[in-house]
């Protein structure tokens, strides 16, 4: 049980739920008065006594024990002190026992979460705009798994639309098999771009015909489409591997083409479908939204129609408890409409659909590229960051082994971290310089801290110093702060999940690394007297475990040496 619940369970307040008390207990910014504080202002009205009196009553009645050693009232707050040695022993033992599972739990057992993320568009650039959805979704995937949920990662491929007819037409006119094979997604995309600027009206007509041919199952058209798709997928797969993300399903828009009709029929039956300028729509005016278009006047389906069919399919197939859509805030309206339509259809699970919206990522130096109208490919950003990481590492530690591998872990980690450190809804300007700052709020800083901890442990090993099971004595303030941070990791993971915010874990990693470094600088580890040294080594090892677990949940690797 965490401390907040522990304390709350020992407080009786007439008419107030234990949970409500637990939710109010907070860690004060200045812990000199106590490790936890319960503000009593909220209870004043209900209990008809002043907050000062209530706090005093709580303090007087609180049964202090080995875990919470004292309770004291100050100005309407009740402050609690934790048994620091007890907490240290409990936390370190738990981390030592659980290892790479420390922070995990079973709260999600028996529940399923679908996560729609990355959702790449076939034959289109995989650009910097796809970074957030890919790494946010990838991290949420790991976080929910860690909490015991069944997680289904879905890459809702953008693999349907008239653009594929255009692509075939462009390829037929200008394409060369060997060249496209070699150029991969870039060559495919170039054909598409060329079509959009150079296509004649005849080619436009031809493109429509090719699209129709794909639709009607024509062999050649489909073979070409599949080829373009496989080139795209081979390309993105390499990026997914480098970003440590994976998927359980690649059912994209095309997959739903034959699954739309039953949903459209149901809309009709329920009297929700109305005609508007020849199109079939669901009127959402009563909810202050434009109509949701289900079928265009020519009978064609839309992105939204496919999403509607996908939601029903996912519910049927996975019986999810939550279905998350990790998609940029530009699509806020789309998802609001989609969820509303499902709600109007009377589906109680409409409330389980969540749009996990995020802000834009741009490059600090990106203004130039935007002006030229060129897209910034995600792979280029990764490559660039790895190159820069290699340079920084070379300066810091020219003798480093496995330089290339470490640079990859550091550089790619910095790109991931750049997208995950801030609350997801914020727009982000990515700067290589800042992302690779060893002293900043960065993944490199955390990785470097891990390497530092690992190197201390390595020295202890070389000197054959045994420390496991060492008794924890009185703690210095820096040690106590670090222990406390370590003890808070499991709660942190849960908060990240419930708020769909990997940034909670990213921030935890930085602040815990800062606490480790304060401990490392304030307290001599290897030079300390034997008993103290052993306890500090245990603490070092536990910190390394917690930091490693935090980075792993973000999809970031931890080099052994840096
Ligand atoms: N491929 C779409 C895009 O790039 C994102 C799809 C998101 N998922 C969904 N189910 N709509 O905008």
């Amino acid at each position: 049980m965490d401390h907040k619940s522990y304390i709350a369970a020992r407080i009786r307040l007439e008419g107030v739920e234990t949970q409500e008390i637990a939710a109010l207990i907070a860690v004060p910014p200045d812990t000199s008065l106590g490790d936890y504080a319960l503000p009593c202002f909220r209870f004043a009205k209900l209990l008809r006594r002043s907050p000062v009196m209530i706090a005093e009553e709580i303090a007087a009645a609180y049964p202090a024990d080995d875990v919470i050693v004292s309770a004291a009232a100050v100005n309407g707050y009740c402050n609690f002190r934790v048994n620091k040695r007890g907490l240290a022993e409990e936390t370190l033992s738990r981390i030592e026992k659980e290892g790479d599972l420390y922070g995990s739990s079973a709260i999600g057992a028996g529940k399923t979460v679908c996560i729609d993320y990355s959702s790449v568009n076939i034959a289109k650039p995989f650009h910097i705009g796809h970074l957030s959805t890919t790494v946010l979704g990838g991290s949420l995937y790991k976080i929910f798994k860690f909490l015991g949920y069944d997680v289904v990662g879905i890459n809702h491929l953008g693999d349907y639309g008239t653009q594929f007819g255009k692509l075939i037409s462009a390829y037929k006119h200008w394409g060369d098999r060997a060249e496209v094979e070699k150029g991969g997604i870039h060559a495919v995309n170039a054909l598409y771009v060329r079509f959009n600027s150079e296509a004649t009206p005849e080619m436009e007509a031809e493109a429509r015909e090719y699209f129709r041919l794909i639709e009607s199952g024509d062999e050649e058209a489909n073979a070409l489409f599949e080829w373009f798709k496989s080139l795209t997928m081979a390309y993105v797969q390499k990026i997914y591997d480098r970003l440590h993300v994976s998927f359980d399903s690649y059912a994209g828009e095309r997959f739903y083409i034959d699954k739309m009709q039953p949903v459209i029929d149901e809309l009709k039956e329920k009297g929700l479908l109305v005609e508007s300028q020849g199109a079939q729509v669901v009127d959402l005016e009563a909810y202050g939204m434009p109509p949701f278009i289900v079928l265009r006047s020519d009978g064609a389906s839309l992105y939204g129609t496919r999403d509607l069919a996908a939601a029903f399919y996912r519910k049927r197939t996975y019986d999810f408890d939550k279905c998350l859509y990790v998609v940029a805030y530009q699509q806020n309206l789309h998802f609001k409409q989609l969820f509303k339509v499902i709600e109007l259809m009377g589906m109680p699970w409409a409330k389980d659909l969540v749009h996990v919206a995020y802000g834009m990522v741009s490059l600090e130096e990106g203004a130039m590229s935007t002006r030229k109208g060129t897209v910034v490919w995600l792979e280029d950003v990764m490559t660039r960051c790895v190159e820069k990481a290699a340079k920084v590492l070379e300066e810091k530690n020219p003798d480093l082994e496995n330089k290339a591998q470490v640079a990859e872990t550091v550089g790619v980690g910095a790109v991931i971290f750049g997208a995950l450190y801030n609350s997801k809804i914020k727009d982000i300007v990515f700067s290589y310089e800042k992302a690779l700052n060893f002293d900043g709020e960065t993944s490199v800083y955390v990785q470097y801290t891990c390497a530092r901890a690992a190197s201390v442990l390595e020295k202890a090993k070389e000197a054959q110093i045994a420390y496991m099971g060492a008794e924890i004595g009185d703690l210095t303030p820096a040690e106590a702060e670090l222990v406390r941070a370590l003890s808070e990791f499991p709660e942190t993971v849960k908060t990240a999940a419930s708020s769909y915010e990997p940034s909670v874990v990213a921030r935890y990693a930085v602040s815990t690394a800062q606490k480790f470094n304060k401990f490392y600088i304030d307290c001599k580890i290897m030079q300390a007297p034997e008993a103290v040294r052993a306890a500090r080594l245990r603490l070092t090892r536990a910190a390394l475990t917690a930091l490693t677990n935090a980075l792993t949940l973000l999809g970031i690797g931890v080099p052994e040496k840096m």
Side-chain angles (χ1 to χ4, degrees):
M1 193 190 298
D2 67 284
H3 282 139
K4 293 176 188 174
S5 319
Y6 188 92
I7 296 169
R10 284 158 183 75
I11 295 174
R12 296 271 166 274
L13 281 179
E14 186 91 17
V16 188
E17 298 274 344
T18 301
Q19 272 178 356
E20 198 181 323
I21 299 175
L24 281 173
I25 297 176
V27 176
D30 167 13
T31 48
S32 64
L33 286 178
D35 301 303
Y36 290 97
L38 172 65
C40 298
F41 309 95
R42 286 262 193 100
F43 310 130
K45 207 168 159 199
L46 177 79
L47 302 176
R48 298 168 194 238
R49 291 195 290 284
S50 73
V52 173
M53 273 177 74
I54 298 171
E56 277 165 8
E57 286 165 20
I58 294 175
Y62 191 84
D65 58 14
D66 275 2
V67 179
I68 302 297
V69 291
S70 70
V74 180
N75 298 332
Y77 286 87
C78 188
N79 298 316
F80 301 89
R81 253 186 221 295
V82 167
N83 171 359
K84 295 197 171 69
R85 280 176 69 171
L87 176 65
E89 187 47 58
E90 185 191 310
T91 305
L92 298 194
S93 309
R94 189 168 162 202
I95 296 178
E96 285 156 5
K97 195 169 113 227
E98 299 181 13
D100 57 7
L101 290 177
Y102 179 62
S104 68
S105 100
I107 55 165
K111 296 202 186 99
T112 299
V113 179
C114 289
I115 311 182
D116 175 326
Y117 66 106
S118 197
S119 297
V120 53
N121 298 318
I122 302 301
K124 294 230 184 109
F126 195 62
H127 57 76
I128 180 96
H130 296 110
L131 171 64
S132 297
T133 174
T134 306
V135 300
L136 274 171
S139 176
L140 288 173
Y141 186 95
K142 293 182 179 70
I143 289 171
F144 277 100
K145 268 225 154 132
F146 209 49
L147 294 177
Y149 291 84
D150 280 324
V151 191
V152 187
I154 304 173
N155 199 323
H156 186 75
L157 301 179
D159 56 1
Y160 185 84
T162 48
Q163 74 262 31
F164 296 105
K166 296 180 184 175
L167 200 52
I168 294 179
S169 169
Y171 175 69
K172 289 266 179 174
H173 286 268
W174 308 308
D176 172 82
R177 181 137 200 132
E179 225 168 78
V180 172
E181 194 68 55
K182 194 164 139 249
I185 191 174
H186 289 90
V188 174
N189 181 243
L191 283 172
Y192 180 61
V193 170
R194 183 162 173 198
F195 184 97
N196 284 329
S197 66
E198 294 178 26
T200 58
E202 292 77 52
M203 282 178 75
E204 294 279 1
E206 185 184 274
R208 279 192 292 277
E209 177 57 15
Y210 279 126
F211 176 58
R212 201 193 57 77
L213 282 173
I214 301 180
E215 286 301 274
S216 62
D218 175 79
E219 209 170 304
E220 193 206 358
N222 272 286
L224 283 172
F225 167 77
E226 289 299 334
W227 180 46
F228 297 140
K229 179 172 164 182
S230 70
L231 290 172
T232 307
M233 294 317 291
Y235 173 83
V236 292
Q237 190 55 54
K238 276 191 279 170
I239 296 178
Y240 290 151
D241 290 346
R242 294 178 71 189
L243 293 172
H244 305 123
V245 300
S246 59
F247 301 89
D248 303 292
S249 161
Y250 288 90
E253 296 188 43
R254 171 167 300 276
F255 178 77
Y256 297 104
I257 295 305
D258 61 0
K259 295 171 185 65
M260 298 182 298
Q261 199 54 50
V263 186
I264 298 173
D265 291 343
E266 192 167 340
L267 279 171
K268 251 185 229 151
E269 268 161 40
K270 297 197 159 136
L272 289 164
L273 216 51
V274 295
E275 201 185 303
S276 163
Q277 297 165 352
Q280 298 290 318
V281 309
V282 178
D283 181 20
L284 297 175
E285 205 185 335
Y287 309 97
M289 289 186 267
F292 182 78
I293 308 176
V294 178
L295 293 174
R296 283 200 323 226
S297 52
D298 63 0
S301 67
L302 291 95
Y303 175 61
T305 325
R306 267 110 57 194
D307 253 335
L308 194 56
F312 278 83
Y313 175 85
R314 289 172 191 175
K315 184 63 195 173
R316 207 165 53 238
T317 309
Y318 306 114
D319 193 23
F320 57 72
D321 294 89
K322 288 257 179 263
C323 179
L324 315 183
Y325 296 82
V326 187
V327 186
Y329 64 57
Q330 278 86 347
Q331 295 192 30
N332 275 356
L333 176 62
H334 166 74
F335 287 106
K336 258 179 83 181
Q337 290 178 304
L338 177 70
F339 300 167
K340 184 49 100 183
V341 169
I342 295 170
E343 184 193 316
L344 292 174
M345 290 174 80
M347 301 300 142
W349 48 270
K351 64 171 189 344
D352 304 324
L353 305 170
V354 185
H355 176 203
V356 179
Y358 58 82
M360 275 204 356
V361 180
S362 54
L363 291 181
E364 195 175 48
E365 54 197 44
M368 198 174 59
S369 333
T370 357
R371 223 189 309 128
K372 278 195 293 182
T374 52
V375 282
V376 181
W377 292 71
L378 177 54
E379 187 189 28
D380 294 341
V381 176
M382 290 163 66
T383 305
R384 189 95 189 265
C385 204
V386 170
E387 278 166 16
K388 289 188 185 262
K391 257 197 213 120
V392 180
L393 287 166
E394 184 66 44
E395 281 162 26
K396 287 248 166 201
N397 186 356
D399 302 328
L400 185 67
E401 303 156 30
N402 294 329
K403 258 182 222 158
Q405 206 180 320
V406 177
E408 168 77 13
T409 308
V410 168
V412 173
V415 174
I416 297 174
F417 202 81
L420 295 184
Y421 190 62
N422 288 298
S423 138
K424 60 187 182 283
I425 201 66
K426 281 196 189 154
D427 289 337
I428 301 161
V429 181
F430 184 81
S431 144
Y432 293 102
E433 203 116 306
K434 283 189 195 133
L436 290 170
N437 182 351
F438 270 65
D439 302 315
E441 296 175 7
T442 58
S443 48
V444 196
Y445 173 71
V446 182
Q447 287 167 326
Y448 186 68
T449 305
C450 288
R452 180 176 254 183
S455 125
V456 173
L457 296 174
E458 187 59 31
K459 279 195 198 110
K461 195 172 159 198
E462 276 163 22
Q464 294 185 324
I465 298 170
Y467 54 87
M468 295 312 288
E471 197 188 329
I472 308 294
D474 285 330
L475 300 168
T476 66
E479 287 172 317
E481 281 285 298
L482 177 58
V483 164
R484 180 177 185 131
L486 299 181
S487 75
E488 285 166 355
F489 184 56
E491 276 309 300
T492 304
V493 180
K494 288 182 193 142
T495 307
S498 61
S499 55
Y500 313 117
E501 273 289 7
S503 65
V504 170
V505 173
R507 289 185 177 263
Y508 172 86
V510 167
S511 84
T512 304
Q514 286 166 344
K515 290 183 178 119
F516 176 82
N517 284 316
K518 184 149 189 356
F519 152 72
Y520 179 87
I521 291 160
D522 285 7
C523 310
K524 304 210 172 349
I525 302 176
M526 292 301 275
Q527 289 85 22
E530 208 175 302
V532 179
R533 179 180 68 192
R536 287 183 180 163
L537 285 167
R538 273 185 79 188
L539 187 52
T540 302
R541 189 168 178 269
L544 177 57
T545 303
L547 287 173
T548 303
N549 292 3
L551 286 183
T552 305
L553 288 178
L554 302 173
I556 299 175
V558 181
E560 269 165 48
K561 286 188 184 152
M562 263 174 82

